[in-house]
Amino acid sequence: MEGRRIRRFGIRRGRGQQIHTQPHSLLPLRTTHHPPSLSNTVSCCYCDYKISSLNDPLFRLGRRRAGIFKAWFSIGVGFGLTALLAVSMILLWELASALHLLPGNSFSNLSSAILFGFSPFPSNSVSGLSISPAGAGYMLVSTLISVSLHEFGHALAAASEGIQMEYIAIFIAVLFPGALVAFNYELLQALPGFAALRVYCAGIWHNAVCCAVCGLALFLLPLILFAFYQHGESPMVLDVPSTSPLSGYLSPGDVIISLDGVRIHSSQEWMEMATLVNILAHENLNSSSYNEGFGRVSNAKGYCVPNPVLEESKIGLIENQSSCPDYLTSFVTIPCFDTNMSVDSHPNTFEPTNCLNAKDVVKFRKCGDWVTATTNGSNCTCSQDMSCLSPIQIPGFMWIEVTYYSPYSPECLKLGRKSFADSRSSEFVDSNCGGTFVFVGDIISMASSVQLTAYQPRWASKFGIYLPNVLERLLMCTFHVSLTLALLNSLPVYFLDGESVLEETLCHFTSLSPSNRGKVLQVCLLGGTLISILAFFRIFLNIL
C-alpha cells in the first residue's frame, strides 16, 4: 500500500542530474525534472501522478517551526523503533507457528491479520472482505486520509532538517495503490543518523497519531454530538433491506422501544436480547429462569383475551396440529396454577385451540411469564371475564414482540413536535406514531437483518439520522487503515519504510564494519520479506 521514497542501496544516477531515491526494482525508475516539467509515468503495470505545487508551502512550514517539528518527530523515532521490534517479533512467531515449533494462538492470528490489513472480525465489519459500495467509499476516503498524513509526515520531517521534497507521487503498481515523496538523496546522506531516523519514522508516527485521534474521537463522539443527538436511549433504524424479515414492518427512521416488553437502549442490547430468547427457545426450558439484566424468561407468554372473543374462535385440535387459516394464529389457554409449564412441551394440556389475529391480541394486557426487568414472579393475572392465552409455537420459530415508534411518519409529523428525542416514546405509541407487531421465525436472522444506530436526532431531519453513523464508520475505517499502514511500514522488508529504519539503526552499531552491516541488513530484509509473504498467504487462506 505504501511506496518507497528513500534508500541507501541501489542508487541510480542520471547524467547531469541529482541523485534520486529510486532503488533497483521492477517499478519504473524516476527521472528528475524541474518541477514545472514533471512527467507522469504510465505503463502496463505502473502509473503515477506527480504533484509539486505543495513543495514550497510544506518546506516553509517545516522551516518556520523546525524546533517544534524536530521535537515532535523525535518522539516518532521511539515509536518507530518500538514498532519495528514488535512486528519483527510477530513475524518470528508466525514463522515458528508455520514450522510447528510453537502452537498457534488467537493472539498471533489476530495480530498477523491486522498487520496485513485483514479484519479479524466477521465479514460485515467495516474492514472485512465483503465490502459494499458504501464500504468501498469509506475505504477510499480513509485511505486518502491515512496515506496523505503518512506522506506529509515525511515531507515535514525532511523540511525541518532543511531538505525540500522534489514531488509527491500517487501511483498504482499492478493493482495496489500508494503514494511516495521524492527527496534529494545526497542531502539525505548528509544528515546525522538521528535526524535521518526522524525522516524515516515520520510516516509511521503520523499514522499512529491518526489511530489515537480516531479512537479518542469515537469515544467522545456522543459528547461531541450531544447538542444535536441523543445517545443510548433507544436504537434507531438506519436500513431495512428488502430481504430482511422485518421489511414491511420497520422503515429507516423508526425507533425500537422494546423487545418482548424489555426496553432496548442500543443495538448491542437488541442483539443480546434476541440471542438470549433464541438460546432459551432451543433449550426448551420447562420452567422460568432468571437472567441478570433481563429478568425472567419463559416460553409461556400470554395475553388477557376477553371471553366473548374466545367463544367466537374456538376450534378443536386435530392430531395436535392447529387448523387455523394462514392469516390467524393458534392460541391456547394457560392455566394460572402452572404458568411455568412450557406450551411447546405439553401441548395436550391446553385445549381447545383458538384462532386469533395476532395484531389484535398484542393490544391486550400481558399475562404469563414474560421477560421483565422489575419482577421475578409470574404475572398470570387476568380478570374473571378474561382468559390468559399463549401462542402455540412451531419448533425453531419463536414468537417475539417488537414495539416501535415512527417519528417521521405522516401521523407523527402532524403533531408538530420540535424535538423527537426529548419526547416520551409512550406518547408516540399512544398517538398512533408507532405500535407493536409480532414476529414469528428465526430471531437471530431477524435481529441481524437491520442496521441500527444508538443516535437519535433532537430535531426532525431525514439526513440527520445518518450523520453519526457516517462519522462512526469513517473514523473506524480510518483507524484500521492507519493502523495497517503503520504496521506494514514497520516491517523489515524491501520497498517499505522498515528497510530505511533498520538500515539507519544498524549504522549505530559501530562494532560492525560497513560490509558486515550491509550483509546483516540484506539477511534481515530477505528473511522479513519471505516470512511476510508466508504469513500473508496463511492468513488469506484461513479467511477463505
Side-chain angles (χ1 to χ4, degrees):
M1 294 190 60
E2 186 63 28
R4 285 291 293 144
R5 57 194 64 75
I6 38 187
R7 294 291 185 273
R8 292 291 185 182
F9 301 106
I11 306 304
R12 175 185 173 92
R13 297 174 182 269
R15 181 178 301 178
Q17 297 173 346
Q18 295 175 326
I19 300 176
H20 309 295
T21 64
Q22 177 67 33
H24 293 301
S25 70
L26 297 178
L27 299 180
L29 298 176
R30 304 181 214 145
T31 57
T32 302
H33 302 276
H34 191 267
S37 60
L38 281 176
S39 62
N40 301 317
T41 304
V42 179
S43 67
C44 61
C45 61
Y46 179 92
C47 61
D48 65 21
Y49 180 76
K50 300 180 178 68
I51 303 172
S52 61
S53 58
L54 298 176
N55 293 7
D56 291 337
L58 289 176
F59 183 73
R60 286 195 298 267
L61 176 61
R63 294 306 297 162
R64 189 179 300 117
R65 299 288 186 267
I68 297 176
F69 282 122
K70 285 182 179 181
W72 171 252
F73 290 116
S74 293
I75 303 174
V77 172
F79 178 84
L81 295 178
T82 303
L84 174 63
L85 178 62
V87 297
S88 299
M89 296 301 295
I90 293 175
L91 289 181
L92 291 176
W93 190 285
E94 184 67 26
L95 177 62
S97 299
L99 298 177
H100 302 288
L101 300 177
L102 289 174
N105 56 41
S106 57
F107 172 76
S108 175
N109 297 333
L110 174 64
S111 57
S112 299
I114 295 177
L115 187 63
F116 293 101
F118 293 107
S119 172
F121 307 106
S123 60
N124 61 350
S125 65
V126 78
S127 56
L129 292 179
S130 298
I131 300 179
S132 64
Y138 288 115
M139 286 291 293
L140 176 61
V141 174
S142 60
T143 299
L144 289 175
I145 294 173
S146 302
V147 171
S148 298
L149 289 173
H150 186 103
E151 301 305 334
F152 287 156
H154 287 297
L156 289 174
S160 67
E161 305 294 343
I163 300 177
Q164 184 174 8
M165 67 178 182
E166 295 180 356
Y167 57 82
I168 299 176
I170 303 173
F171 67 84
I172 297 179
V174 189
L175 297 177
F176 299 97
L180 55 85
V181 290
F183 299 105
N184 184 294
Y185 182 75
E186 288 179 333
L187 295 178
L188 285 174
Q189 285 282 69
L191 286 178
F194 193 77
L197 278 176
R198 280 198 290 259
V199 178
Y200 299 150
C201 296
I204 299 172
W205 174 234
H206 269 199
N207 283 136
V209 173
C210 180
C211 288
V213 171
C214 289
L216 183 62
L218 279 171
F219 180 75
L220 296 178
L221 193 60
L223 182 61
I224 296 172
L225 300 177
F226 178 78
F228 306 99
Y229 293 89
Q230 186 167 291
H231 181 268
E233 285 298 320
S234 295
M236 175 172 279
V237 178
L238 291 178
D239 183 39
V240 184
S242 58
T243 56
S244 169
L246 296 181
S247 177
Y249 294 92
L250 296 175
S251 303
D254 290 349
V255 176
I256 295 174
I257 300 174
S258 64
L259 192 63
D260 255 4
V262 177
R263 182 64 187 265
I264 303 297
H265 298 90
S266 64
S267 57
Q268 181 180 356
E269 287 188 6
W270 164 263
M271 288 302 304
E272 287 178 353
M273 180 61 187
T275 302
L276 174 63
V277 174
N278 185 69
I279 290 175
L280 295 178
H282 281 82
E283 290 179 352
N284 268 336
L285 294 180
N286 293 327
S287 61
S288 300
S289 61
Y290 182 79
N291 181 276
E292 185 177 355
F294 291 116
R296 293 177 62 83
V297 182
S298 174
N299 290 335
K301 304 172 183 177
Y303 302 87
C304 292
V305 180
N307 291 330
V309 176
L310 298 184
E311 294 299 327
E312 300 175 1
S313 63
K314 285 182 180 179
I315 62 172
L317 284 177
I318 303 177
E319 295 182 357
N320 294 331
Q321 298 295 323
S322 168
S323 58
C324 290
D326 293 339
Y327 59 91
L328 297 178
T329 304
S330 301
F331 288 81
V332 292
T333 303
I334 301 176
C336 287
F337 59 84
D338 191 12
T339 59
N340 289 335
M341 186 173 294
S342 171
V343 176
D344 295 326
S345 57
H346 300 283
N348 291 328
T349 62
F350 301 101
E351 295 187 22
T353 296
N354 301 273
C355 295
L356 300 172
N357 190 321
K359 292 183 179 180
D360 297 330
V361 173
V362 296
K363 298 177 182 179
F364 298 129
R365 188 167 63 87
K366 292 180 175 62
C367 59
D369 286 337
W370 286 80
V371 180
T372 60
T374 57
T375 64
N376 295 339
S378 175
N379 187 30
C380 184
T381 55
C382 296
S383 61
Q384 299 258 338
D385 59 343
M386 293 183 179
S387 299
C388 187
L389 265 65
S390 178
I392 295 179
Q393 299 169 23
I394 302 173
F397 289 83
M398 281 295 296
W399 168 292
I400 196 166
E401 278 191 13
V402 179
T403 303
Y404 71 99
Y405 68 87
S406 304
Y408 297 100
S409 63
E411 295 82 1
C412 204
L413 291 175
K414 288 179 181 178
L415 298 177
R417 298 185 186 273
K418 297 181 179 179
S419 175
F420 288 110
D422 293 333
S423 300
R424 295 177 56 187
S425 56
S426 59
E427 295 178 0
F428 283 101
V429 177
D430 294 341
S431 58
N432 296 324
C433 286
T436 299
F437 65 86
V438 171
F439 175 81
V440 180
D442 187 344
I443 298 177
I444 298 300
S445 298
M446 175 211 71
S448 59
S449 67
V450 293
Q451 183 182 359
L452 305 176
T453 179
Y455 293 87
Q456 293 184 51
R458 295 188 182 276
W459 290 271
S461 171
K462 270 290 185 181
F463 171 77
I465 65 177
Y466 298 101
L467 180 59
N469 183 66
V470 170
L471 293 177
E472 281 185 324
R473 295 188 65 184
L474 183 59
L475 288 171
M476 291 174 62
C477 195
T478 303
F479 176 91
H480 185 86
V481 173
S482 289
L483 178 62
T484 301
L485 281 180
L487 295 177
L488 276 179
N489 280 280
S490 301
L491 287 170
V493 300
Y494 292 107
F495 310 129
L496 294 177
D497 291 344
E499 177 185 352
S500 296
V501 174
L502 178 60
E503 178 186 355
E504 191 59 49
T505 303
L506 290 175
C507 290
H508 288 77
F509 290 87
T510 55
S511 59
L512 295 175
S513 64
S515 60
N516 288 335
R517 283 199 298 267
K519 293 178 182 178
V520 172
L521 176 64
Q522 293 304 316
V523 170
C524 292
L525 293 178
L526 180 60
T529 302
L530 293 178
I531 297 174
S532 298
I533 294 174
L534 173 65
F536 177 87
F537 281 107
R538 285 191 68 198
I539 296 168
F540 184 76
L541 293 176
N542 288 336
I543 291 179
L544 292 181

